[in-house]
C-alpha cells in the first residue's frame, strides 16, 4: 500500500515538474537554446523554459527621425521606418547583438538604426541639398542594409523614407519652387511631345489618305482604259457586222442581176423596174401598164421559185 502511494506521489511530482518547467511553443515564437556554445532553434511542441529563450518571430517596425548634413554642411531632416524580423539562419549573431533576453530583436534593431544613421550621413554629405531625394535614399539603404542586418541576426523586410527636407525654411521654400518649376517643365515637355505625336499622326494619316486617293485614281484610270478598250472593240465589232451586212446585200444584188440576165422576163415582175419605167415617162401622169398572159404568169411563178432557192443557197453559204 505504501509503495502505491509512493508511486502516485512520484508521478504527481513529475507531472507538477513538467507543468512548472515546460511551456508550449506558440506559432509566433522562436525558441532558442544554447547547446555546447552554439545557438540552435527548438522546433518541438514543448520546451523547457529555464533552458530556452522564447523570442517573438513577428515583424518589428522602428520609426526613426534624425538630422544629417548635405554638402556644404546644410542641415536636413530625415524621417524613415525600418521593418525587421529575426533571421533563422543567423541566430548566433542575433544573440550576440541583442543579448540573451526576450527583447533581443528590439536591441539588435536599435544597433541597426545606428548603422542607418551612419549610412544616411555619408549619403547626404556626398550630394548637394537639391540633389537629395527620398527614393534615392531609400534605394541606397535597401541595398546596403541587407548585409549589415545579417551581421546582427536580423532579416531586413523593408525601408521606407518618409521625409527628407532642409531645416532652413528659406531653402525649403526655394527647393519647393524649384521642384514646382521642374514639374511644370516636365509637364510642358510631355504636352509638347504629345502635340508632336499628334502632328506626326495627322501627317501620317493625311499621307496615307493621299496615297490611297492616288491609288484610287490610278484604278479609276485603269477602269476607264478598260472601258474604252471594250467600247472600241464593240464599235469595231459593229463596223464589221455592218460591213458584213452590206457585203451580203451586195452579193444578193449581184445574184439578182445574174438571174435577171438569165431570165429577162423577170424584169417586168420587178417592182423597182416598174417604178423606174413609170418615172421615165415624159408625161406627168403617165403610167406603165404591164399585161401578163397565163403563160407569162406561170413563168413568173417558176422564176420566183428559182429566186427563193437561189437566196436560200446564198444565205446557207454565208452562214457556213
Amino acid at each position: 500500500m505504501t509503495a502505491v502511494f509512493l508511486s502516485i506521489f512520484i508521478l504527481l511530482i513529475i507531472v507538477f515538474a513538467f507543468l512548472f518547467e515546460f511551456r508550449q511553443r506558440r506559432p509566433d515564437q522562436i525558441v532558442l537554446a544554447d547547446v555546447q556554445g552554439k545557438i540552435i532553434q527548438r522546433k518541438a511542441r514543448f520546451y523547457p523554459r529555464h533552458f530556452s529563450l522564447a523570442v517573438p518571430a513577428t515583424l518589428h517596425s522602428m520609426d526613426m527621425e534624425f538630422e544629417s548634413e548635405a554638402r556644404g554642411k546644410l542641415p536636413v531632416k530625415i524621417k524613415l521606418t525600418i521593418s525587421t524580423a529575426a533571421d533563422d539562419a543567423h541566430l548566433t549573431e542575433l544573440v550576440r547583438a541583442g543579448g540573451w533576453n526576450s527583447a533581443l530583436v528590439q536591441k539588435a534593431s536599435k544597433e541597426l538604426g545606428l548603422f542607418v544613421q551612419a549610412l544616411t550621413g555619408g549619403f547626404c554629405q556626398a550630394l548637394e541639398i537639391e540633389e537629395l531625394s527620398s527614393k534615392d535614399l531609400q534605394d541606397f539603404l535597401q541595398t546596403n542594409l541587407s548585409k549589415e542586418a545579417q551581421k546582427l541576426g536580423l532579416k531586413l523586410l523593408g525601408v521606407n523614407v518618409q521625409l527628407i527636407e532642409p531645416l532652413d525654411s528659406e531653402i525649403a521654400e526655394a527647393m519647393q519652387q524649384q521642384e514646382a518649376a521642374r514639374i511644370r517643365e516636365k509637364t510642358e515637355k510631355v504636352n509638347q511631345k504629345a502635340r508632336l505625336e499628334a502632328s506626326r499622326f495627322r501627317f501620317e494619316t493625311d499621307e496615307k489618305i493621299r496615297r490611297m486617293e492616288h491609288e484610287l485614281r490610278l484604278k479609276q484610270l485603269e477602269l476607264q482604259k478598260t472601258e474604252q478598250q471594250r467600247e472600241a472593240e464593240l464599235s469595231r465589232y459593229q463596223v464589221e457586222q455592218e460591213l458584213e451586212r452590206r457585203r451580203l446585200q451586195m452579193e444578193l444584188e449581184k445574184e439578182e442581176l445574174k438571174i435577171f440576165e438569165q431570165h429577162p422576163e423577170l424584169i417586168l415582175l420587178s417592182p423597182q423596174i416598174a417604178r423606174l419605167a413609170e418615172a421615165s415617162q415624159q408625161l406627168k401622169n403617165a403610167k406603165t401598164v404591164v399585161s401578163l398572159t397565163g403563160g407569162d404568169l406561170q413563168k413568173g411563178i417558176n422564176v420566183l421559185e428559182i429566186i427563193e432557192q437561189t437566196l436560200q443557197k446564198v444565205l446557207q453559204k454565208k452562214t457556213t
Side-chain angles (χ1 to χ4, degrees):
M1 197 69 175
T2 304
V4 175
F5 284 113
L6 182 60
S7 300
I8 295 174
F9 179 74
I10 294 173
L11 181 60
L12 291 175
I13 291 175
I14 293 173
V15 172
F16 178 76
F18 180 83
L19 295 176
F20 177 77
E21 178 64 23
F22 285 88
R23 293 290 184 271
Q24 184 179 3
R25 180 177 60 84
R26 298 198 303 268
D28 60 343
Q29 285 182 335
I30 297 177
V31 180
L32 306 180
D34 185 6
V35 179
Q36 296 179 357
K38 184 179 180 180
I39 305 301
I40 64 172
Q41 180 181 358
R42 295 183 185 273
K43 297 184 178 181
R45 186 66 178 273
F46 297 93
Y47 66 92
R49 63 172 183 167
H50 289 92
F51 300 96
S52 305
L53 177 63
V55 297
T58 56
L59 172 68
H60 176 71
S61 298
M62 181 174 59
D63 295 330
M64 299 181 61
E65 184 175 349
F66 55 92
E67 296 180 4
S68 184
E69 292 182 352
R71 183 181 297 177
K73 295 187 179 299
L74 296 176
V76 293
K77 181 181 179 181
I78 300 172
K79 186 177 181 181
L80 54 85
T81 302
I82 301 176
S83 300
T84 58
D87 192 353
D88 298 343
H90 299 84
L91 296 176
T92 303
E93 291 83 353
L94 179 61
V95 174
R96 290 176 181 175
W100 188 262
N101 57 75
S102 59
L104 77 169
V105 177
Q106 290 81 349
K107 292 183 178 181
S109 298
K110 290 181 180 180
E111 294 294 331
L112 183 63
L114 296 177
F115 187 73
V116 168
Q117 294 184 16
L119 282 177
T120 304
F123 176 82
C124 294
Q125 291 176 3
L127 299 175
E128 298 290 344
I129 192 169
E130 63 272 9
E131 297 176 352
L132 296 176
S133 66
S134 301
K135 185 179 183 304
D136 294 339
L137 179 58
Q138 180 173 325
D139 295 339
F140 175 77
L141 294 176
Q142 189 76 35
T143 303
N144 294 276
L145 278 181
S146 298
K147 294 182 179 180
E148 189 63 25
Q150 290 180 0
K151 293 179 182 179
L152 298 176
L154 296 174
K155 184 188 300 182
L156 183 64
L157 300 179
V159 179
N160 183 22
V161 179
Q162 302 173 358
L163 178 67
I164 177 170
E165 63 179 7
L167 290 177
D168 193 341
S169 59
E170 295 181 357
I171 296 177
E173 184 178 358
M175 289 183 63
Q176 290 177 357
Q177 294 178 358
Q178 183 180 1
E179 182 67 15
R182 186 188 66 81
I183 293 175
R184 286 194 295 270
E185 182 180 0
K186 184 177 180 181
T187 304
E188 182 62 26
K189 288 182 179 179
V190 172
N191 293 334
Q192 185 177 2
K193 184 178 179 181
R195 289 193 294 269
L196 290 175
E197 289 292 332
S199 301
R200 183 179 63 82
F201 179 75
R202 285 196 299 269
F203 175 76
E204 292 179 353
T205 304
D206 295 340
E207 185 67 21
K208 186 176 180 180
I209 292 174
R210 286 194 294 269
R211 185 168 60 252
M212 294 176 66
E213 291 177 348
H214 179 67
E215 293 177 355
L216 180 60
R217 285 195 295 269
L218 291 178
K219 290 182 179 180
Q220 290 177 350
L221 291 176
E222 185 177 358
L223 291 176
Q224 291 178 359
K225 182 179 179 180
T226 304
E227 185 177 1
Q228 291 176 359
Q229 291 178 354
R230 291 180 178 178
E231 291 178 355
E233 292 178 357
L234 180 61
S235 299
R236 185 172 63 253
Y237 178 76
Q238 291 176 351
V239 171
E240 292 177 354
Q241 292 296 322
E242 181 66 20
L243 291 175
E244 182 68 17
R245 186 184 65 82
R246 292 184 180 182
R247 187 174 62 81
L248 291 175
Q249 186 177 1
M250 291 177 65
E251 291 181 357
L252 180 61
E253 291 176 353
K254 289 180 180 181
E255 293 292 334
E256 290 179 352
L257 290 176
K258 288 181 180 181
I259 293 172
F260 289 149
E261 289 177 357
Q262 296 175 0
H263 305 279
E265 62 276 11
L266 293 178
I267 296 175
L268 298 176
L269 298 177
S270 176
Q272 296 178 355
I273 298 300
R275 286 196 296 270
L276 289 174
E278 183 179 357
S280 64
Q281 298 294 326
Q282 295 180 356
L283 296 176
K284 183 177 181 181
N285 295 324
K287 293 184 179 180
T288 300
V289 178
V290 179
S291 60
L292 297 176
T293 62
D296 295 334
L297 182 60
Q298 184 63 32
K299 292 181 180 179
I301 293 172
N302 295 331
V303 171
L304 288 177
E305 292 179 354
I306 294 171
I307 292 174
E308 183 179 359
Q309 293 176 0
T310 303
L311 290 177
Q312 288 180 355
K313 291 180 180 179
V314 172
L315 292 176
Q316 184 177 2
K317 180 179 179 182
K318 295 304 176 182
T319 304
T320 305

